[in-house]
Structures are given as structure tokens and as C-alpha cells.
Amino acid sequence: HCSTHFGKTRSDRETFTVKHLREVLGVPDGRHKQFGHLKSRALDPAIAEINATSRWTLEAIPHKTGRSVTSVTINWTEKPLAEKREAKAELNRHSAGRKQRQDGTAERIADHPPFPEHKNGLRYNDFWKRIYDDAGCRADLEKTRLGFIEWTTKTGKPRTPQLFFNFCKDENERKGIS
């Protein structure tokens, strides 16, 4: 969420008080009170997401007063072209598995459960149901499942999360749901 804020200024660094940083990250008061928790649960994941999906590389440098972190400087630099292309490719992939790809823990091929073959299988499969929800699909769940199976069978395409996401996105349009 903070990438829009960074685009507004020409400088390549900005210092935030911890309070302002919490606001920029959308962390409610009372959550992650210790800086270590704020850093590991909000700041680090936000920076990892921006570094993986934007044309910028961000770095956070905490500043202490005594033993407490009182402010954080965020540095950002524009990536070389090859890295920008890589970030754009990541942005075009489904967000499922992004954290594992960033950590380098994603398996290359089978990094998702098989597509549910049985009746009402989407309803009880958190992974595939989440892709349906993320795509904003409001068409009938079971008809969407059957349609995807029919389409992949007919076209010989694999039943991947990305293809299912695109299929679900287009399903509203095919069914005339706006």
C-alpha cells in the first residue's frame, strides 16, 4: 500500500516516525506494539511485496533513541530493466504462493493442490476457493468448477491457479454478471 506514497516525491529516502510508519502500513493502534513485531509482521512483508512486484527496491533502516526504535528511514532505488521485467512477471502471477516464491521455498511445478474433481469440491477446498474469491467471481461455484474442467479438457490446458483465476475473472462477463 505504501508504494503510491513513495511515487510522489523525487527523493530516494524518507524518514518516518514509528507512529507515522504504523499509519502508512495500516497497522491499528494496539497491534504489534513492540517494534520487532511491527517490523516482522508488517514492515518486512510490505517491503518484500514491493521489492517483488514493483520497479523499486526498498530498504528500511531503524533509528534508535536509547534502546527504543523511534524512527525508520526507507530508502528506495529504481531497479535495472531486467529486474523490472522480473517484478512485472511476478505481479502478473497469482498472489497464491508469492511469499514462498520470495522466500525461495516454492516448489517449481506442484506448488498447489490438485483442482477439485468431485461435486462441490470447490466449496471445501480453501486454496482453490480463495482463487475464485480473489478473482471476484460471483457465478455459481459448481458451474464454474464444471466449466473450468470442461474448458481445460477441451483446450488441453493445465489446471493451474493462474488459469483458474483468469477463467473465474472472465466467468462474470460470460454469465452477464456485472
Side-chain angles (χ1 to χ4, degrees):
H1 354 265
C2 33
S3 58
T4 53
H5 180 79
F6 297 127
K8 290 178 186 166
T9 171
R10 289 173 193 268
S11 79
D12 60 356
R13 76 170 43 103
E14 189 165 337
T15 300
F16 298 86
T17 64
V18 173
K19 183 182 184 328
H20 187 202
L21 187 63
R22 294 172 67 80
E23 289 168 12
V24 169
L25 292 169
V27 176
D29 287 345
R31 289 286 305 266
H32 314 316
K33 290 178 190 167
Q34 295 175 340
F35 181 78
H37 292 164
L38 178 70
K39 183 180 182 309
S40 67
R41 297 185 185 145
L43 182 59
D44 290 349
I47 286 180
E49 177 83 4
I50 290 166
N51 287 347
T53 60
S54 81
R55 61 196 188 112
W56 305 101
T57 300
L58 270 61
E59 175 191 28
I61 299 143
H63 306 286
K64 290 183 172 188
T65 303
R67 290 175 55 190
S68 300
V69 173
T70 51
S71 66
V72 178
T73 298
I74 308 281
N75 294 331
W76 61 97
T77 51
E78 201 160 352
K79 292 177 182 170
L81 188 59
E83 286 182 36
K84 285 183 194 173
R85 286 193 180 117
E86 213 172 282
K88 179 139 177 58
E90 178 59 43
L91 196 56
N92 289 331
R93 290 186 193 107
H94 190 270
S95 59
R98 181 166 292 153
K99 184 183 184 323
Q100 290 78 7
R101 288 191 297 273
Q102 287 169 9
D103 297 346
T105 56
E107 295 174 30
R108 286 296 127 231
I109 306 292
D111 59 353
H112 58 82
F115 189 80
E117 298 289 331
H118 53 280
K119 185 168 170 48
N120 290 323
L122 264 181
R123 183 165 283 121
Y124 305 109
N125 186 307
D126 291 346
F127 178 86
W128 292 98
K129 172 74 167 69
R130 181 161 169 219
I131 293 170
Y132 169 92
D133 292 338
D134 285 353
C137 193
R138 293 192 311 287
D140 181 86
L141 201 59
E142 184 58 9
K143 287 180 183 160
T144 302
R145 185 187 72 81
L146 290 170
F148 185 65
I149 289 173
E150 183 184 310
W151 178 73
T152 54
T153 303
K154 193 171 71 192
T155 59
K157 294 200 184 291
R159 294 182 188 148
T160 64
Q162 183 65 61
L163 285 176
F164 183 60
F165 180 78
N166 294 342
F167 182 88
C168 289
K169 268 187 114 57
D170 297 338
E171 193 67 355
N172 286 339
E173 211 171 299
R174 284 191 294 271
K175 300 288 186 226
I177 303 166
S178 55

